[in-house]
Amino acid sequence: MKELKLMKGNEALAEAAIRAGCDAYFGYPITPQSEVLEYLAKEAHARTGMVVLQAESEIASINMIYGAAGTGKKVMTSSSSPGISLMQEGLSYIACAELPCLIVNVVRAGPGLGTIQPSQSDYFQAVKGGGHGDYRLIVLAPSTIQEMVDHTKLGFELAFKWRNPVMILTDGALGQMMEKVELFPHIERKFELLPWATTGKTKDRERSIITSLHIQPEKMQETNLHLQRKYRSIEKEEIRFESRNCEEADVILLAFGLVARICKKAADLAAEKGIKVGVFRPITLFPFPYEEINRIADNARIFLTVEMNAGQMLEDVKLAVNGKLPVEFIGRMGGIIPTPEEILNRIVEINEGVTV
Amino acid sequence: MNERRMLSDNHYEDVIAEESVCISDNLVYDRPETLTSTPMHYCPGCGHGVAHRLIAEVIEELDIQDKTIGVAPVGCAVFAYNYFNIDMTEAAHGRASAVATGIKRVLPEKYVFSYQGDGDLAAIGTGETIHTCNRGENILIIFINNGIYGMTGGQMAPTTLVGMKSTTTPMGRDVHDMGYPLKITELIAQLPGVYYCTRVAVNSPNHVRKAKKAIYNGFKYQELKKGLSFVEIVTNCPSNWKMTPVESNKWLEENMLPFYPLGDLKVPQKEN
């Protein structure tokens, strides 16, 4: 039987974490995602025995994640942009030590303290590494609260499949708004002893060491090569995207997360005017669907990328297109959400051969 | 079979045959199972080696190798995981107590300890240290205080004594510029989450025995789940103090210990 509920994004995500069998959450309050911690603090321990701890800072949170993830447990944290910046050092260590965990960034507009309104301005930080060194997170970009729920489950699966930190890159609007969601059934919490995990050295195995320190250059290079091989495999196997009417479109809108929904509305409005508009939405931002974007560029006349930032995914779209066609851009910053009408106006201009 | 060899007129030397050294009856000191055979990188005379050994001995004596997880710091002890034959995690600079918190919270029946130097614990990691102690995490923090940054080459530590020279205080620590040496252990002892807090040293056989007892307590108290154990070990840094090991131990006795007096700062209260 389907379990349907009307839920706020942050709370739906927290509920999904409990249902996914999450063992521990470590976090620190920050708007607009504090409901994740609040929801878990109220419900999680009583329901499943899950550990929920409010840390003294995001720096402490991510290092608690590092320690707990090293035991092979299913662990997660969430924060918003300034807090995620504070976690970058820890994420770099976690990526190098290849520990599975889930990090949720409910993005607010920056830079600096910025504002608490929604934004997509942490795209670069999420998909290009973020902390020091050559590493990648697997990045999922939900566009609905249903996907916030589904990506929480998927995020844990991918984290353990690849022994890699996974980030859900969502935004303040999705975190705060309410939608109907279908919740998946509870997955039982169970503890599997993983061979690499620090659980106490028994006589029958070598000791487990969680570290990112390889002082000899040859070993550090080998670690890097190993990580890069893993990232190439992830690029082969884990690309996810949604493509809507992109095969016969004149204009293709490219957007991730919430903005893709606004683009769909704009495309519908354009269709009423007789303009064929496709919408392409990367669901995984790393790995990024370069090949598919390059392929659909063969059929279209022009691309229009729409983001709530100054043009971050735009750079990857341009890389994918590789000069095949022009790539236009609409970017809203500071917590402003683009409207379907302003996107429509640009589509009309573009269609009439006017480029701004 | 031992034999007596003549060196010169009327001078003899007793030569102990190799086979008699190796018989177990003659063996008075051996490497615990909980230490690996990896040669330690520590400088000659450094206290880290002794501190490591004491921890390893306690883990072996308590027979908790399969239940112990250690957290190594950034600093001279960054390679501690090469020497302990136990599961270990290497933390970022200052974050060891947060990492230990994460481990202990998901594995509450295990014995968890962090091993941190003065820069790690009392400068960059002060926030994590205070809050881990204040939450009363059931872990053991071992705090190695030698008043200097060893690994980076002898810079001022939060615990560097007033007037003490380092590469960043070449004229000696001036409190007007650099503030005062931080007695973080005294601070920690005030926190209700801390169950046991003590300061020991490893510069003499007597101090080593007391240090081992403190480490033993720190592990044992985790079973009670009554809060955090904090053991400061005042030690030397011959290389960066620019002294011989013997001189450094004497200097420690004459300069460090008057400012960082040994003894318990907080002991478990008897329950009525």
Side-chain angles (χ1 to χ4, degrees), chain A residues 16-87:
Chain A
I18 299 172
R19 286 173 183 248
C22 182
D23 292 305
Y25 172 96
F26 302 95
Y28 185 79
I30 181 172
T31 309
Q33 65 77 53
S34 299
E35 294 87 355
V36 180
L37 172 57
E38 287 169 346
Y39 189 92
L40 292 172
K42 196 161 49 181
E43 300 218 352
H45 187 72
R47 278 171 57 186
T48 68
M50 174 181 169
V51 171
V52 181
L53 182 61
Q54 178 174 336
E56 67 271 26
S57 69
E58 290 89 349
I59 297 173
S61 306
I62 196 67
N63 283 284
M64 290 171 185
I65 292 285
Y66 177 65
T71 69
K73 296 269 188 175
K74 226 181 228 189
V75 297
M76 70 175 288
T77 185
S78 65
S79 187
S80 181
S81 308
I84 295 287
S85 291
L86 283 175
M87 292 185 186

Side-chain angles (χ1 to χ4, degrees), chain B residues 44-72:
Chain B
C46 168
H48 273 304
V50 179
H52 280 25
R53 187 187 164 93
L54 295 180
I55 294 165
E57 284 179 355
V58 167
I59 294 170
E60 185 170 72
E61 285 164 24
L62 289 170
D63 194 21
I64 53 170
Q65 183 188 31
D66 60 341
K67 298 183 195 70
T68 302
I69 298 144
V71 183

Side-chain angles (χ1 to χ4, degrees), chain A residues 125-191:
Chain A
Q125 186 195 51
V127 307
K128 305 296 181 189
H132 59 285
D134 274 317
Y135 74 90
R136 300 296 185 129
L137 311 175
I138 296 172
V139 184
L140 302 170
S143 74
T144 60
I145 295 177
Q146 183 64 55
E147 272 188 332
M148 299 257 286
V149 168
D150 297 342
H151 286 181
T152 302
K153 184 163 167 269
L154 173 66
F156 280 122
E157 288 164 7
L158 293 175
F160 277 85
K161 178 179 176 186
W162 295 101
R163 276 190 65 184
N164 206 69
V166 173
M167 177 176 279
I168 294 180
L169 189 72
T170 180
D171 65 66
L174 280 167
Q176 293 297 321
M177 71 190 202
M178 293 181 93
E179 277 190 303
K180 184 178 74 176
V181 287
E182 183 184 340
L183 296 167
F184 56 85
H186 277 87
I187 299 166
E188 204 185 328
R189 273 185 61 214
K190 56 177 177 212
F191 184 35

Side-chain angles (χ1 to χ4, degrees), chain A residues 44-333:
Chain A
H45 187 72
R47 278 171 57 186
T48 68
M50 174 181 169
V51 171
V52 181
L53 182 61
Q54 178 174 336
E56 67 271 26
S57 69
E58 290 89 349
I59 297 173
S61 306
I62 196 67
N63 283 284
M64 290 171 185
I65 292 285
Y66 177 65
T71 69
K73 296 269 188 175
K74 226 181 228 189
V75 297
M76 70 175 288
T77 185
S78 65
S79 187
S80 181
S81 308
I84 295 287
S85 291
L86 283 175
M87 292 185 186
Q88 293 305 323
E89 177 200 37
L91 279 172
S92 172
Y93 280 65
I94 288 169
C96 188
E98 298 195 86
L99 302 182
C101 60
L102 183 64
I103 294 97
V104 181
N105 185 359
V106 184
V107 180
R108 58 189 250 184
L113 199 50
T115 165
I116 58 174
Q117 303 301 327
S119 177
Q120 297 181 320
S121 50
D122 298 351
Y123 176 94
F124 283 152
Q125 186 195 51
V127 307
K128 305 296 181 189
H132 59 285
D134 274 317
Y135 74 90
R136 300 296 185 129
L137 311 175
I138 296 172
V139 184
L140 302 170
S143 74
T144 60
I145 295 177
Q146 183 64 55
E147 272 188 332
M148 299 257 286
V149 168
D150 297 342
H151 286 181
T152 302
K153 184 163 167 269
L154 173 66
F156 280 122
E157 288 164 7
L158 293 175
F160 277 85
K161 178 179 176 186
W162 295 101
R163 276 190 65 184
N164 206 69
V166 173
M167 177 176 279
I168 294 180
L169 189 72
T170 180
D171 65 66
L174 280 167
Q176 293 297 321
M177 71 190 202
M178 293 181 93
E179 277 190 303
K180 184 178 74 176
V181 287
E182 183 184 340
L183 296 167
F184 56 85
H186 277 87
I187 299 166
E188 204 185 328
R189 273 185 61 214
K190 56 177 177 212
F191 184 35
E192 193 185 340
L193 274 179
L194 296 165
W196 49 264
T198 52
T199 51
K201 184 207 169 303
T202 47
K203 301 280 179 210
D204 58 350
R205 69 161 169 85
E206 288 295 299
R207 65 195 200 282
S208 293
I209 304 296
I210 305 287
T211 184
S212 59
L213 175 65
H214 306 282
I215 206 85
Q216 289 163 298
E218 294 77 11
K219 281 200 172 171
M220 195 64 234
Q221 172 166 270
E222 186 42 53
T223 302
N224 269 283
L225 289 171
H226 165 74
L227 290 175
Q228 291 303 318
R229 283 192 293 271
K230 179 170 85 171
Y231 302 146
R232 298 297 86 77
S233 301
I234 292 170
E235 285 168 344
K236 278 203 186 83
E237 290 185 37
E238 302 298 351
I239 288 172
R240 288 165 172 79
F241 56 83
E242 180 192 354
S243 190
R244 182 183 186 253
N245 302 334
C246 289
E247 300 304 327
E248 288 173 18
D250 290 326
V251 180
I252 294 179
L253 303 175
L254 296 101
F256 69 95
L258 182 73
V259 179
R261 294 169 69 171
I262 302 164
C263 285
K264 285 180 190 170
K265 175 72 178 169
D268 292 344
L269 294 173
E272 289 170 15
K273 292 180 183 289
I275 309 170
K276 286 193 279 186
V277 178
V279 178
F280 187 86
R281 175 172 77 95
I283 294 171
T284 50
L285 300 180
F286 181 84
F288 190 75
Y290 290 106
E291 280 182 27
E292 182 63 14
I293 291 175
N294 185 280
R295 193 187 67 74
I296 61 172
D298 288 336
N299 306 325
R301 243 173 3 100
I302 194 163
F303 275 6
L304 175 58
T305 301
V306 188
E307 296 176 73
M308 291 195 288
N309 59 41
Q312 299 193 14
M313 187 181 79
L314 175 66
E315 293 192 3
D316 283 321
V317 172
K318 284 182 173 172
L319 271 175
V321 166
N322 201 15
K324 271 187 185 172
L325 50 67
V327 182
E328 292 287 312
F329 177 67
I330 296 176
R332 287 299 221 145
M333 287 168 280

Side-chain angles (χ1 to χ4, degrees), chain B residues 153-171:
Chain B
Q155 295 82 11
M156 182 187 70
T159 50
T160 296
L161 298 176
V162 175
M164 188 174 166
K165 286 183 179 175
S166 74
T167 59
T168 49
T169 53
M171 317 305 278

